[in-house]
Amino acid sequence: MRKFTLLLTLSVPTLFQPLTAFASDHINSQNVSTIHGDVGLAFSSGKYSSNFIASDEGDSSAVSNGLNRAPSDESYTKTTPLLDLNYTIGSTDTSLFLSSQTGDPLSQESYVSIGAEQVIGRFGTLSTAYLFSIPGSNKEWADPYATNHKRSSTDTRSQGVSVGWQQILGSQLSASFTHIEKKLDQERGGDSLSELSTSQRNMLDRNGHIDSASVSYIFALSENQSLTPELRYSRYGLNGSAMSHNQFGIGLTHNIAIAKYSLSNGIFWAENKYDEDNPIYNKKSDSNEYYFSSTLTKQQLFGFTQLTGLLSASIGKNKSDIQFFNAKNTSFEVGVAYSF
């Protein structure tokens, strides 16, 4: 059932293994080339607060609470397409795929990945993918620090590559690396603050690259359940020195399957250490963040063999040394996927 939870917004595998290619169960062991996959829709509703992720400019969050206060909660609903298409090439143990994916609950980013996967006996499974953001799906405030008037949003465009090595040397150890280039259409951070110099505004630049590496190991607790710890390091090498930072994270996922039901629960915690002081506050915006997610899936929904139902709940929170940088998100989601 991993292929479904990978596609669910705020799902556990998405949190702990972001932007990686698919697992080896997508490889067809038969000697014929086939196309198979899953398509569906997920509907979510929740509340989030962020001074950087943009909502509708008519919403209350378009006006900040001030530079020294945390952002207000904003309700939202959205529909997310679920897509996982795979083309297996005969008996070559090679699979090509096209899928939709999402990032962590706080970033709310949406991506499309196109890639390939190759099983190499006991050596393991190698995968690579090209990733790009869905146009118009990721938005931030052009100048998050603007006060006393509505902030304008700007599109955020991202693209990059991901490589993975699953079942390393016949073990349950997996590793992945992702490189993402991020570009805001209009980066105006700090333009509304006349007291900042040009060099200080440059320190707030959010454009740049994000490199992330992770390792995980699946411990089988029984025939139908497993426990997977993960270690992750991410480098946010952004153009602004006050926005660049290192992230060190650890996650734990528990999976269990009983009859037609599968339940995945996971938690992830990370520490963010910034390179330099933010020139507005004269201190670093170091923070701790965590995510928790629970995803339940049911096969043969309503008695239809090829239909799967999904139900997910998630919460994420970022607690910063600067209140303005605080963020949180809670979400409840229901979805249906059709397999072919």
Side-chain angles (χ1 to χ4, degrees):
M1 296 310 301
R2 181 184 172 190
K3 57 187 175 182
F4 290 124
T5 54
L6 246 173
L7 301 176
L8 256 185
T9 306
L10 313 184
S11 65
V12 173
T14 302
L15 296 181
F16 298 151
Q17 300 179 12
L19 310 181
T20 58
F22 292 111
S24 58
D25 61 0
H26 286 208
I27 300 297
N28 188 354
S29 61
Q30 299 179 0
N31 293 330
V32 295
S33 298
T34 61
I35 297 178
H36 59 283
D38 312 284
V39 293
L41 286 175
F43 306 92
S44 60
S45 177
K47 289 187 176 182
Y48 83 100
S49 61
S50 172
N51 273 317
F52 293 89
I53 305 300
S55 61
D56 189 315
E57 294 177 30
D59 292 342
S60 59
S61 63
V63 179
S64 78
N65 292 328
L67 295 176
N68 296 306
R69 297 181 61 186
S72 299
D73 289 342
E74 190 76 38
S75 299
Y76 70 91
T77 58
K78 65 179 180 180
T79 302
T80 305
L82 307 179
L83 176 66
D84 174 14
L85 301 178
N86 298 269
Y87 176 70
T88 58
I89 305 175
S91 60
T92 62
D93 284 339
T94 301
S95 178
L96 308 178
F97 59 82
L98 169 67
S99 71
S100 60
Q101 300 182 25
T102 55
D104 61 66
L106 295 178
S107 70
Q108 300 191 51
E109 294 174 324
S110 300
Y111 294 90
V112 172
S113 65
I114 302 174
E117 186 177 74
Q118 178 70 53
V119 175
I120 311 176
R122 288 189 58 81
F123 182 80
T125 301
L126 299 180
S127 58
T128 184
Y130 168 67
L131 314 163
F132 59 94
S133 58
I134 300 173
S137 63
N138 304 328
K139 293 181 178 291
E140 297 188 29
W141 298 122
D143 182 5
Y145 312 100
T147 57
N148 301 320
H149 61 83
K150 289 184 178 180
R151 296 175 286 191
S152 60
S153 63
T154 185
D155 286 340
T156 300
R157 306 176 190 274
S158 301
Q159 63 176 342
V161 294
S162 176
V163 293
W165 186 6
Q166 294 86 37
Q167 298 178 334
I168 298 175
L169 302 178
S171 71
Q172 295 300 313
L173 181 67
S174 295
S176 66
F177 173 79
T178 302
H179 173 82
I180 295 290
E181 293 286 341
K182 176 184 176 181
K183 174 67 176 176
L184 277 69
D185 283 356
Q186 299 179 16
E187 169 54 280
R188 297 177 178 173
D191 281 4
S192 60
L193 303 177
S194 58
E195 63 270 25
L196 295 182
S197 66
T198 299
S199 61
Q200 288 176 318
R201 291 191 185 96
N202 291 338
M203 295 175 67
L204 304 176
D205 194 334
R206 290 162 286 171
N207 294 310
H209 67 270
I210 304 169
D211 294 319
S212 182
S214 68
V215 292
S216 61
Y217 192 92
I218 301 175
F219 291 94
L221 303 180
S222 64
E223 291 184 355
N224 67 333
Q225 63 176 319
S226 64
L227 194 65
T228 306
E230 183 216 3
L231 295 175
R232 188 198 305 171
Y233 167 74
S234 297
R235 171 61 186 172
Y236 289 73
L238 307 182
N239 295 344
S241 57
M243 307 304 290
S244 295
H245 63 280
N246 297 307
Q247 182 184 87
F248 305 90
I250 183 171
L252 188 65
T253 306
H254 177 260
N255 294 296
I256 184 170
I258 301 176
K260 300 176 183 178
Y261 294 89
S262 298
L263 178 64
S264 184
N265 295 308
I267 189 168
F268 179 79
W269 175 88
E271 180 182 49
N272 298 298
K273 304 294 288 185
Y274 283 74
D275 292 1
E276 295 189 23
D277 288 354
N278 186 298
I280 301 173
Y281 303 94
N282 294 318
K283 65 178 180 179
K284 297 179 180 179
S285 53
D286 292 348
S287 66
N288 293 313
E289 62 184 64
Y290 70 86
Y291 323 128
F292 172 78
S293 182
S294 181
T295 302
L296 177 68
T297 62
K298 183 182 186 299
Q299 296 178 331
Q300 300 181 23
L301 187 66
F302 307 129
F304 294 96
T305 304
Q306 294 174 292
L307 210 59
T308 298
L310 310 101
L311 182 64
S312 179
S314 179
I315 183 171
K317 186 174 184 179
N318 180 77
K319 178 66 175 178
S320 174
D321 290 346
I322 299 175
Q323 287 193 53
F324 186 84
F325 283 76
N326 289 350
K328 60 183 177 180
N329 181 49
T330 57
S331 176
F332 298 93
E333 187 171 51
V334 60
V336 177
Y338 176 81
S339 302
F340 59 93

